[in-house]
Amino acid sequence: MKIYVPMLMAAVMLSGCAVQPEKPVMQDAQYESIALALTTGEACAIAGRMDMNLAAANSLTLEEQIDEFQYDPARMHAERQRAAFDVQQKGGVTQAACNVLTYEVLRTQAVRQTANDADLARKRMALQMLKIDSRVDLGQSFIAMAVRKGEPKPDISTMQGLRTVLQHSASVAYSDSASGVYLSKTLFPRMHLGSEFEAKAHMIPAEPVGAVVARGQAQIGFQQLSELKPVKGIDIVGLIPAEAQKMTLYCGAVVSKSQHHAAAQALLDYLASQEADAAIKDSGLTPLAHTAS
């Protein structure tokens, strides 16, 4: 089941993949500074006070920075909400603040040569099309593994179990989206699975990984749980271990040119409420914690 809203975007926030070595725990000041920098970059871009390419590069860099730590997604979510409220209370961002952030991005990124051009384009498009102040976080998405329907479900509840399955499987498929890039560029290399594994592991473009597994073209497949659930002909084994996991935060925002801002915002607010938790969970996402009003 997929949930469609006037605009859905994936804000990639990576949870701890503490394989080798274990990542440091994010400190209070880091939560605050990262949340403020993310919010300021978005606000500067929307106000026309920062180049869209640099604002997109800023977001990508900070998301990568988050991935360097063990952190609490709910805490980061709360800090971002607090930062957005502070910016709104101050009447927006000043040109001076945007200039400082622009300089910092240029200094640290060299115009983001390490970024994937497609990722930058998606970030830039999102900043251009959305009312950032309407953003609502909807749910967390985690990576799961599937096998062809009726096949044995191996134990992947531990890192050793996952390693054994990866090494012994005849073929491995993973998506060409953020989760697949993470697996192929970060997790698998950290696990030192060897050249034989690399030869049998393949990124699947343009179709769900589950469909490839259902046809028997891959023995096991990895994708976000929300993407595997609708596919027929597979059995979902479960989520990969927490130590190896990557969380993707799904959020919604009103399109800037929408003629129905109030109705769209009401829908997003409902989807983020406790009343929609069952539907969010049924879609394969994990509902976010709700604060008492």
Side-chain angles (χ1 to χ4, degrees):
M1 172 182 176
K2 291 188 177 181
I3 298 176
Y4 296 93
V5 297
M7 180 64 185
L8 275 180
M9 56 179 286
V12 181
M13 302 177 68
L14 311 180
S15 66
C17 170
V19 182
Q20 296 175 356
E22 186 174 355
K23 296 180 181 180
V25 176
M26 185 176 288
Q27 302 301 306
D28 290 348
Q30 292 168 314
Y31 279 99
E32 296 169 6
S33 62
I34 291 174
L36 180 59
L38 280 166
T39 301
T40 300
E42 293 173 349
C44 288
I46 294 303
R49 293 174 174 171
M50 185 176 185
D51 179 80
M52 286 289 181
N53 286 321
L54 293 179
N58 178 62
S59 294
L60 286 172
T61 302
L62 291 167
E63 288 163 4
E64 289 178 354
Q65 184 178 343
I66 291 171
D67 190 35
E68 296 174 359
F69 297 91
Q70 298 180 55
Y71 80 104
D72 179 1
R75 170 74 184 279
M76 182 60 72
H77 169 65
E79 289 294 343
R80 291 202 65 178
Q81 286 187 315
R82 184 177 296 109
F85 179 78
D86 289 344
V87 169
Q88 185 178 17
Q89 288 294 102
K90 294 175 181 176
V93 287
T94 64
Q95 185 63 63
C98 297
N99 289 345
V100 170
L101 185 59
T102 296
Y103 170 78
E104 185 64 20
V105 174
L106 286 169
R107 183 180 69 82
T108 58
Q109 297 304 307
V111 196
R112 188 61 184 173
Q113 292 181 353
T114 60
N116 181 292
D117 289 342
D119 287 341
L120 275 177
R122 283 192 289 269
K123 287 287 183 183
R124 184 173 62 251
M125 183 179 296
L127 289 171
Q128 291 170 330
M129 293 178 62
L130 305 179
K131 286 182 84 272
I132 295 299
D133 59 357
S134 70
R135 169 189 165 133
V136 174
D137 294 338
L138 300 174
Q140 298 172 335
S141 182
F142 295 96
I143 300 172
M145 191 187 93
V147 296
R148 196 174 190 182
K149 192 170 184 63
E151 293 294 322
K153 295 181 180 180
D155 180 13
I156 60 168
S157 61
T158 65
M159 288 302 297
Q160 184 55 52
L162 177 62
R163 173 184 290 277
T164 299
V165 170
L166 290 171
Q167 292 180 324
H168 292 175
S169 295
S171 53
V172 179
Y174 52 88
S175 74
D176 63 348
S177 61
S179 63
V181 172
Y182 161 76
L183 291 173
S184 61
K185 301 297 185 183
T186 303
L187 179 62
F188 294 158
R190 287 181 180 175
M191 295 179 72
H192 304 292
L193 297 167
S195 58
E196 291 185 5
F197 173 79
E198 293 176 4
K200 67 182 180 181
H202 302 286
M203 180 176 283
I204 306 300
E207 73 171 324
V209 169
V212 177
V213 174
R215 292 197 298 267
Q217 294 178 322
Q219 186 176 1
I220 59 174
F222 296 88
Q223 197 164 10
Q224 293 172 351
L225 177 61
S226 57
E227 299 297 325
L228 291 173
K229 284 195 72 173
V231 180
K232 298 183 183 299
I234 64 172
D235 287 328
I236 297 173
V237 177
L239 300 180
I240 64 175
E243 300 96 321
Q245 192 59 253
K246 166 190 176 290
M247 187 275 285
T248 299
L249 179 64
Y250 278 85
C251 60
V254 180
V255 177
S256 57
K257 295 183 179 180
S258 171
Q259 301 299 308
H260 306 283
H261 283 190
Q265 189 68 59
L267 173 60
L268 289 172
D269 291 341
Y270 171 76
L271 289 173
S273 71
Q274 189 170 357
E275 287 75 10
D277 279 357
I280 294 293
K281 186 174 182 179
D282 186 59
S283 76
L285 301 180
T286 299
L288 297 171
H290 300 284
T291 56
S293 57

